[in-house]
Structure formats: structure tokens, C-alpha cells
């Protein structure tokens, strides 16, 4: 390893990323070119808010930047807030650089997710990244989840702790969804991969979805099982989003026959760098999962005596967990290992928004998201 390379890029790389760099590459293989390729952001085209988003609820708590390339979502004693992509997508890559609220964040949930619950209320699909706030001095945690065809009784959540402070700097959070696989990313580190298995059937999300970003009060469950609640003396709580990416095939979810245009778009999506995990990224994912994951449904044998078909049992991970899917050695960060699903049906704004044709205000496909009722 040429440590002069680390010095030259250290200003733009988190300590965890530096550790990954040391872990992944043998001593003589890392060059400046390798480091730059590995840690530069995906080559993505970003959009403005107007080009891709609409208010979901409480637009008075949504602050857009003067250039319209970033926005803030606020939570105060009156309401949380949320936005939604103006279009539905049949598979895609959805990404944003996000900075979370600071100081005391107990009871707060910031969600970045895809869903179609507004159109398919009884058999919706969903892909989640949910950030769970914490008491002062304790770090944010986050979880990923997947639902297909209304399979909320078969939640597939994993929970993790952060290796950095997400309230100090922006980090890129991404969801890849293709006909073959799903990958969750932070920056260019893959956190979780789900490969489509024939036995999953409708449990693999396959209907068109929109992209959502919300902040809301989840005091009943988010921190320490609901014991630590939102303290509004610290309001307003703000999460900031920029580098907005919505890549995918735009469709009308009510069409019975999928658009043939999506065949080419899906092929293009599958050809992108972020659609597969290289050996180097797989090492990064292994490193992350063995050090920062503290619950996985795949290792919860009490809940699933037979793991769901998409689960790939990695023995080095399995050895870290009890039959409950919880770590053998508890992490000290004020979190809860319990898996709550009831909140999924009550996320603010998700099911109350409908797409209607609006004269003079239609998007490219003639639909526009209307603001939903506040919390």
C-alpha cells in the first residue's frame, strides 16, 4: 500500500472508507487511479426538485433551495413533511445525498423509500431505507426492508449502526431495483443484496413504484421500543437532500400491459456499474455486514425456522447471531432489536395521496402527485 495515496484522498474519504481501502487491496496494488475510481460518486445525472418531485404532505415544512437542486424536510410540533416522485417507475436507481438532524433525535424517523401503497393498497410493494433517531450522545441507526405484493407479515428487515455521524456530512444513499436484484448502497458501499429467487413469487417487488422521502414522529416505536420520544424543545428537526437521482422507466401503474419501452430501459439499467457487485465491493459489503449489522431476518430462526428463499447464509455472518437474529454480543448504542411492522401501515401521507390529471399542471405522463393530509 502506498500511504501517500491515502494522504492525498483522505479529505474526501470517511475513516470507515479508509479502513475498507486498507482491507480490500493488497500492499502493492493500490494506486491513485484505483482510489479515485473506488471512492468517487457513481457517474449519475442529477435533477432539480421541479423535474422529479412534488410535495406529499405539509408543504409548509418543505424548504427548496434557490437553485432547486436541494431541499429540506422539517419536523416540528405541528407536523412532519414529505415529498414524492412525480412519476411511477418500473424498476430504477433512486439516490440522494442526505444529511440527518443533529443533537437529540429520539423518536424521529427519516425514510427514503419506494412504494406503491397509494395505488395498490392491499398488495403493495416497498423498498425501505429508514433512519432511526436516538437520544443525545447515541448514534443514528438505520434499517432496510423489502415488501412484495402486500407481504407485510413476512417482513425482511435488517438493522445496522452507522460508522459515521450522518448529521455532520452528506452521504449518498441509493436503492437499486431491477428485475433480477435489489441493492442498497451508502456512497459506493453495498450494504445488502437481494437476488430474485423463483420461490419468492410475488414477494419480490415487481409493480411500478414511486420514490418517497419523509421525516415524521415515530415516538411509539423508533427509539428504545418507544421509551424515548421526540422532544420538541429541539425543534425544528431538519433533514437535507441534494444530488437527486431518479433513473428508470416511467410508466402508468394502471396499465395492464407493461410498456415495451421498459425492456430497453431495464437492459440499460442492468448494464450500469451500480447494478452488480464487483469483487472489491463484495469485500466492502462483507466488512460492513460483519461489523455493523445487528439484526437480520435471515438469521432469525425463531421467526423463520426455514429461512426465506432469497436468503444466502454466510457462515461468517451466521456465527455472529443467535437464533433470534440478534447479535450474540450486544452493541452498546441505545438501540432496539425488536422488529416492528405495524408502523408500516401508518406512515404519514403514504396511502392518502392519489395521482390525478391536473389541467395546466400535468407532468410528462399527465399525472402529478397531490399533497396529502398532514400527520
Amino acid at each position: 500500500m502506498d500511504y501517500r495515496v491515502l494522504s492525498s484522498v483522505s479529505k474526501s474519504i470517511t475513516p470507515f472508507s479508509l479502513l475498507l481501502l486498507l482491507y480490500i487491496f493488497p500492499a502493492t496494488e493500490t494506486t491513485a487511479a484505483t482510489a479515485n475510481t473506488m471512492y468517487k460518486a457513481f457517474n449519475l445525472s442529477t435533477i432539480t426538485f421541479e423535474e422529479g418531485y412534488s410535495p406529499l404532505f405539509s408543504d409548509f415544512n418543505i424548504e427548496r433551495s434557490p437553485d432547486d437542486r436541494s431541499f429540506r424536510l422539517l419536523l416540528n410540533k405541528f407536523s412532519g413533511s414529505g415529498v414524492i416522485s412525480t412519476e411511477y417507475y418500473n424498476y430504477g436507481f433512486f439516490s440522494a445525498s442526505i444529511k440527518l438532524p443533529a443533537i437529540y433525535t429520539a423518536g424521529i424517523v427519516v425514510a427514503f423509500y419506494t412504494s406503491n401503497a397509494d395505488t395498490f393498497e392491499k398488495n403493495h410493494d416497498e423498498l425501505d431505507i429508514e433512519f432511526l433517531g436516538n437520544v443525545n450522545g447515541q448514534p443514528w441507526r438505520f434499517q432496510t426492508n423489502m415488501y412484495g405484493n402486500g407481504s407485510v407479515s413476512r417482513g425482511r428487515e435488517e438493522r445496522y449502526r452507522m460508522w459515521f455521524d450522518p448529521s455532520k456530512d452528506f452521504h449518498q444513499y441509493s436503492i437499486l431495483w431491477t428485475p433480477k436484484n435489489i441493492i442498497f448502497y451508502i456512497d459506493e458501499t453495498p450494504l445488502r443484496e437481494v437476488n430474485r429467487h423463483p420461490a419468492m413469487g410475488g414477494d419480490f417487488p415487481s409493480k411500478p413504484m414511486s420514490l418517497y422521502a419523509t421525516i415524521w414522529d415515530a415516538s411509539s416505536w423508533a427509539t428504545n421500543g418507544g421509551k424515548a420520544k421526540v422532544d420538541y424543545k429541539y425543534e425544528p428537526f431538519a433533514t437535507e437532500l441534494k444530488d437527486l437521482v431518479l433513473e428508470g422507466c416511467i410508466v402508468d401503474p394502471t396499465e395492464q400491459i407493461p410498456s415495451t419501452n421498459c425492456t430497453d430501459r431495464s437492459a440499460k439499467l442492468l448494464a450500469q456499474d451500480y447494478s452488480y457487485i464487483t469483487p472489491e465491493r463484495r469485500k466492502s459489503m462483507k466488512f460492513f455486514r460483519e461489523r455493523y449489522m445487528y439484526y437480520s431476518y435471515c438469521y432469525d430462526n425463531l421467526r423463520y425456522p426455514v429461512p426465506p428463499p432469497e436468503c444466502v447464509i454466510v457462515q461468517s455472518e451466521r456465527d455472529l447471531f443467535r437464533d433470534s437474529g440478534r447479535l450474540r454480543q450486544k452493541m452498546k448504542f441505545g438501540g432496539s432489536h425488536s422488529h416492528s411492522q405495524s408502523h408500516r401501515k401508518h406512515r404519514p401521507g403514504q396511502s392518502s395521496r392519489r395521482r390525478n390529471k391536473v389541467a395546466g399542471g400535468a407532468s410528462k405522463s399527465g399525472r402529478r402527485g397531490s399533497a396529502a393530509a398532514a400527520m
Side-chain angles (χ1 to χ4, degrees), residues 18 70 73 75 120 174 194 225 239 274 293 295 327 358 364:
L18 287 172
S70 65
L73 298 176
L75 167 67
F120 305 98
S174 307
V194 179
T239 188
Y274 48 67
M293 182 169 69
Y295 174 82
L327 285 173
V358 181
K364 287 180 287 186

Side-chain angles (χ1 to χ4, degrees), residues 28-327:
T28 60
E29 293 183 1
T30 300
T31 64
T34 302
N36 289 336
T37 299
M38 181 180 176
Y39 289 108
K40 70 179 181 181
F42 289 123
N43 186 22
L44 302 169
S45 298
T46 61
I47 60 173
T48 63
F49 185 97
E50 186 68 25
E51 289 173 324
Y53 288 90
S54 295
L56 175 65
F57 66 98
S58 302
D59 54 357
F60 57 85
N61 268 350
I62 301 170
E63 298 179 348
R64 293 160 62 172
S65 65
D67 65 2
D68 208 34
R69 305 199 74 86
S70 65
F71 62 93
R72 299 205 314 161
L73 298 176
L74 304 182
L75 167 67
N76 54 32
K77 61 185 176 181
F78 300 107
S79 178
S81 54
V83 301
I84 184 171
S85 64
T86 313
E87 306 290 355
Y88 281 90
Y89 295 86
N90 189 22
Y91 305 113
F93 185 79
F94 312 99
S95 185
S97 292
I98 303 174
K99 185 161 69 171
L100 299 177
I103 312 177
Y104 188 95
T105 57
I108 296 173
V109 169
V110 174
F112 184 77
Y113 66 105
T114 64
S115 179
N116 50 34
D118 60 319
T119 300
F120 305 98
E121 294 185 15
K122 295 183 179 180
N123 61 337
H124 83 284
D125 304 308
E126 192 168 319
L127 295 170
D128 295 317
I129 301 177
E130 287 186 320
F131 305 96
L132 312 176
N134 219 327
V135 296
N136 199 18
Q138 297 294 332
W140 280 84
R141 297 144 298 127
F142 71 107
Q143 62 185 22
T144 61
N145 212 334
M146 175 184 70
Y147 298 106
N149 210 32
S151 59
V152 293
S153 64
R154 296 185 296 279
R156 291 169 157 89
E157 69 270 23
E158 292 186 344
R159 286 194 175 189
Y160 326 88
R161 62 188 178 100
M162 295 285 199
W163 65 90
F164 56 86
D165 184 346
S167 68
K168 288 187 176 180
D169 297 298
F170 285 93
H171 286 268
Q172 195 85 13
Y173 302 89
S174 307
I175 301 172
L176 170 74
W177 172 45
T178 81
K180 296 182 177 181
N181 67 336
I182 295 162
I183 304 175
F184 296 90
Y185 284 98
I186 293 183
D187 298 322
E188 289 199 10
T189 300
L191 313 177
R192 174 183 181 182
E193 179 184 32
V194 179
N195 288 308
R196 190 172 194 167
H197 191 287
M200 292 179 71
D203 282 7
F204 188 91
S206 58
K207 296 187 293 297
M209 292 193 281
S210 300
L211 189 282
Y212 295 75
T214 59
I215 184 171
W216 51 292
D217 184 332
S219 291
S220 63
W221 65 272
T223 308
N224 292 332
K227 294 179 181 178
K229 303 184 184 302
V230 176
D231 187 343
Y232 285 103
K233 76 179 181 182
Y234 296 103
E235 69 168 289
F237 304 96
T239 188
E240 301 179 59
L241 294 91
K242 64 178 185 178
D243 303 326
L244 312 173
V245 177
L246 295 172
E247 294 282 354
C249 185
I250 296 173
V251 296
D252 183 340
T254 62
E255 289 184 353
Q256 298 298 314
I257 301 175
S259 172
T260 55
N261 295 334
C262 288
T263 302
D264 292 340
R265 291 301 299 268
S266 292
K268 182 179 179 181
L269 184 69
L270 286 166
Q272 298 303 310
D273 179 51
Y274 48 67
S275 291
Y276 60 94
I277 300 180
T278 63
E280 290 79 12
R281 288 183 188 144
R282 194 161 297 281
K283 289 180 182 179
S284 300
M285 184 169 71
K286 181 178 187 293
F287 186 92
F288 164 78
R289 292 176 65 82
E290 291 180 3
R291 287 159 179 79
Y292 296 97
M293 182 169 69
Y294 68 91
Y295 174 82
S296 173
Y297 75 104
C298 285
Y299 303 127
D300 191 340
N301 298 136
L302 301 181
R303 188 178 177 193
Y304 298 112
V306 177
E310 74 280 2
C311 287
V312 177
I313 304 303
V314 179
Q315 194 59 45
S316 58
E317 289 180 12
R318 181 70 188 90
D319 292 342
L320 300 172
F321 292 90
R322 302 173 183 171
D323 286 343
S324 63
R326 304 177 185 183
L327 285 173

